[in-house]
Amino acid sequence: MKLYNTLTKRVDEFTTNEEGKVKMYTCGPTVYHFAHIGNLRTYIMEDVLEKFLRYSGYDVTRVMNITDVGHLSSDGDTGEDKMLKGAKREHKTVLEIADFYRKAFFADCEKLNIKYPDIVEPATNCIPNFIEMVQTLLDKGYAYIADGNVYFDTSKVENYNCLTGHSSDELMVGVRDDVSEDMSKKNKSDFVLWFTKSKFDDQELKWESPWGIGYPGWHIECSAICMKHLGNKLDIHCGGVDNIFPHHTNEIAQSEAYTGEKWCNNWFHVHHLNDESGKMSKSKGDFLTVSLIESKGYDPLAYRFFCLQSHYRKPLTFSYEALDQAQATYNKLVRRVASLKRGESYDKDFVEGIKAKFIQSVGSDLNTALGITAIYDILKARVDDTSKLMALEDIDKVLSVGIVKKAMELQQSEKSEESKENTEQQVNIAPELKEKIEKMIIDRQEAKKAKDYSKADAIRNELKEMGVTLIDTKEGTTYKLD
Ligand code: AMP
Ligand code: ZN
């Protein structure tokens, strides 16, 4: 597979440390509120990436953290802890908030066909791991204590800006323009590994540490959780573009300082979903959640379909008109697939051919739009319906837009609607006629059993002339009046 790598700033051939195995880490949600559909764009694209790697034959282990402490409102070291903010807003404890929004996040993921990661780890489960890592960084001279907090000294690492390619000063503008500088830092880009400072006294969750009672910084959480489950070498690390700086930049600095070697080769970042007025946020206007779009009548999978139509490296603008369009296209595809009839045999070469082409096109920097085009190619192909259904099901292992499943449900509901109509009709037939039809159906069945097909056909034709059409189903023969 070829994939854009934020570290090399090129589309590279995707390589792993151990042949055939992928260790994948994705920054998980900060569970202080519902995820908005922008956050979920990132998780949808990461899900497609994971599934594509599996589809191409890799054995993937995916770890995701749950941020339930330490993520401050500035993404840096200032502002209020987001979890505390959520708890105050809802008059609940931080752990209640964390539990509620973690469940809500995974419920949204399920609706969007996002697979549950192999390992999900809340930060509050890993305090000893954070303390061990911070202590090692202090012992190695990469960290220092000032005013009670433990800071990472970014001047001690070479190439602190390897991920962004910009100088720290350039990056500080914008990220930090709303906050005052922390005077305890030796360098502007230094960041907190462990907080004990009195200004965070109202912090609800605090733990004993060698540096006093406090709590971990957001960045150390991801490095430590990743190493706890995946060891010192990682193949791919994922997140949204806003994670590049400072979060992932700091993760690289502290992880490589800790292990003394290169940590992660591939960095995958998804561009943002914006609304028409700009950046999507949880505090302004219509807070766009999966439940909100569902309440307006949209299928969450139509939103997934909408996301897959665009490349993950381009910002995407959300509008209800665009979602309407995606929903209409989605419905049309479901109806087309519902008209296909499944048989017993299929063309294996056709399905293999589709798979090979799909791997090639989607494998070119996760081109999901070409993946969607494959659905149309399959439907247009000159091949039997069963092969089409098999090929659609196969590529849906990656796309997970669920079109075949939805089509089957539609067929099923149309069938039960039809049989309801037939039953209603049959109630109104004169009892003598009903008895006659039922007897003829039994005679036909016996003729079929005796392999007297011409008799069976003759009975069917006779019934047809009487205005009765037979319907053969797995459960037996029924009929409707013409
Ligand atoms: P958070 O819960 O704030 O830590 O964010 C969860 C994930 O959503 C992170 O990987 C962010 O990079 C990503 N993210 C935040 N805003 C957006 C957006 N508007 N579009 C796409 N991804 C986003
Ligand atoms: Zn992270």
Side-chain angles (χ1 to χ4, degrees):
M1 166 178 216
K2 287 192 163 48
L3 200 60
Y4 182 82
N5 185 352
T6 313
L7 193 60
T8 59
K9 289 152 199 72
R10 278 192 318 254
V11 175
D12 288 332
E13 192 59 44
F14 178 73
T15 56
T16 61
N17 286 301
E18 200 182 329
E19 208 183 317
K21 293 205 166 152
V22 179
K23 292 182 176 183
M24 179 176 189
Y25 184 84
T26 32
C27 286
T30 307
V31 283
Y32 71 112
H33 216 322
F34 291 108
H36 58 53
I37 57 170
N39 301 126
L40 290 161
R41 178 191 190 198
T42 292
Y43 294 106
I44 288 170
M45 300 320 284
E46 292 166 350
D47 179 66
V48 181
L49 174 62
E50 177 194 347
K51 287 174 178 164
F52 184 78
L53 291 171
R54 289 184 197 276
Y55 186 80
S56 316
Y58 285 104
D59 175 6
V60 183
T61 308
R62 180 169 174 199
V63 176
M64 183 189 282
N65 70 303
I66 298 290
T67 303
D68 51 5
V69 65
H71 190 177
L72 306 189
S73 50
S74 73
D75 270 9
D77 301 332
T78 47
E80 198 174 6
D81 186 305
K82 290 189 179 189
M83 293 304 300
L84 193 62
K85 216 166 143 181
K88 282 186 190 160
R89 182 187 66 233
E90 299 185 20
H91 308 291
K92 297 213 174 99
T93 67
V94 163
L95 288 179
E96 282 167 346
I97 289 284
D99 188 51
F100 178 83
Y101 288 112
R102 180 180 44 78
K103 286 181 184 147
F105 172 74
F106 286 114
D108 284 347
C109 286
E110 208 175 318
K111 286 179 187 167
L112 292 162
N113 278 351
I114 297 172
K115 179 184 164 293
Y116 192 80
D118 300 298
I119 297 162
V120 174
E121 183 76 279
T124 48
N125 267 0
C126 304
I127 303 301
N129 303 76
F130 308 147
I131 291 178
E132 190 274 329
M133 200 164 174
V134 175
Q135 188 59 57
T136 305
L137 291 171
L138 277 163
D139 295 345
K140 285 185 149 191
Y142 285 104
Y144 59 93
I145 300 171
D147 283 341
N149 292 336
V150 185
Y151 290 90
F152 186 88
D153 186 345
T154 54
S155 69
K156 292 278 165 68
V157 292
E158 275 174 35
N159 218 0
Y160 170 69
N161 296 304
C162 61
L163 202 56
T164 60
H166 299 290
S167 81
S168 312
D169 277 356
E170 280 173 74
L171 291 159
M172 290 302 154
V173 184
V175 172
R176 305 274 171 89
D177 55 1
D178 59 330
V179 293
S180 57
E181 203 51 58
D182 181 341
M183 300 313 285
S184 316
K185 289 179 183 183
K186 287 189 192 165
N187 312 288
K188 257 185 170 180
S189 50
D190 293 355
F191 55 92
V192 177
L193 296 166
W194 186 268
F195 289 101
T196 63
K197 232 174 167 177
S198 57
K199 92 179 198 195
F200 300 111
D201 245 5
D202 62 347
Q203 182 69 12
E204 210 177 286
L205 299 177
K206 289 187 251 191
W207 295 266
E208 295 275 357
S209 83
W211 323 286
I213 292 174
Y215 66 102
W218 174 39
H219 316 300
I220 198 77
E221 294 174 11
C222 280
S223 292
I225 291 173
C226 184
M227 286 187 199
K228 174 178 173 184
H229 294 289
L230 296 171
N232 287 0
K233 288 217 170 277
L234 181 65
D235 293 308
I236 186 160
H237 196 309
C238 315
V241 279
D242 58 311
N243 287 155
I244 296 174
F245 184 85
H247 188 47
H248 290 167
T249 298
N250 293 348
E251 276 191 49
I252 294 175
Q254 68 203 2
S255 298
E256 296 189 351
Y258 175 76
T259 64
E261 55 186 10
K262 177 101 179 263
W263 178 41
C264 176
N265 292 328
N266 302 283
W267 288 82
F268 174 84
H269 291 105
V270 180
H271 280 252
H272 275 184
L273 179 81
N274 301 311
D275 57 26
E276 280 164 320
S277 63
K279 193 172 179 284
M280 195 155 287
S281 102
K282 300 189 184 186
S283 50
K284 78 175 188 205
D286 220 3
F287 173 12
L288 287 161
T289 59
V290 169
S291 315
L292 180 76
I293 60 167
E294 255 188 322
S295 73
K296 291 182 187 280
Y298 298 99
D299 183 335
L301 290 180
Y303 175 65
R304 182 176 175 112
F305 185 83
F306 167 71
C307 289
L308 298 198
Q309 285 173 319
S310 301
H311 198 255
Y312 76 94
R313 272 201 299 128
K314 290 201 180 109
L316 178 61
T317 303
F318 175 83
S319 69
Y320 281 108
E321 290 73 35
L323 190 58
D324 282 340
Q325 189 87 44
Q327 180 75 65
T329 312
Y330 184 81
N331 292 349
K332 235 191 215 166
L333 279 172
V334 169
R335 279 196 298 274
R336 262 179 87 177
V337 175
S339 69
L340 301 178
K341 292 200 173 44
R342 197 186 288 271
E344 296 299 325
S345 62
Y346 72 99
D347 183 343
K348 202 164 167 237
D349 290 346
F350 171 75
V351 179
E352 290 298 320
I354 291 286
K355 182 173 179 139
K357 198 173 157 207
F358 184 82
I359 289 186
Q360 208 186 23
S361 51
V362 180
S364 171
D365 198 17
L366 204 70
N367 195 330
T368 51
L370 282 181
I372 297 287
T373 309
I375 300 176
Y376 291 95
D377 292 343
I378 293 168
L379 289 171
K380 277 191 299 205
R382 288 164 173 265
V383 71
D384 62 279
D385 285 2
T386 312
S387 305
K388 289 183 184 180
L389 287 165
M390 298 290 277
L392 287 169
E393 276 169 342
D394 191 61
I395 64 169
D396 205 51
K397 288 177 195 155
V398 178
L399 302 176
S400 299
V401 284
I403 285 174
V404 176
K405 192 162 171 262
K406 285 265 147 93
M408 296 301 145
E409 285 165 12
L410 183 66
Q411 273 181 354
Q412 214 52 47
S413 74
E414 279 174 355
K415 250 195 203 152
S416 64
E417 200 51 45
E418 200 178 311
S419 84
K420 208 171 114 209
E421 268 173 36
N422 292 343
T423 318
E424 280 165 12
Q425 263 186 354
Q426 286 167 23
V427 169
N428 299 326
I429 306 174
E432 312 81 63
L433 179 60
K434 199 171 172 201
E435 211 175 294
K436 186 171 176 193
I437 296 170
E438 279 163 7
K439 174 153 189 324
M440 285 172 81
I441 289 177
I442 292 169
D443 288 349
R444 177 173 167 262
Q445 262 156 6
E446 277 169 6
K448 267 167 77 177
K449 239 194 237 160
K451 297 201 169 28
D452 188 351
Y453 297 113
S454 57
K455 182 172 176 195
D457 285 347
I459 297 172
R460 174 192 278 279
N461 293 341
E462 197 183 328
L463 280 162
K464 188 78 198 155
E465 273 166 32
M466 288 160 59
V468 179
T469 301
L470 295 184
I471 305 161
D472 291 320
T473 71
K474 265 193 209 147
E475 291 75 36
T477 303
T478 157
Y479 61 93
K480 69 176 183 131
L481 301 186
D482 298 337

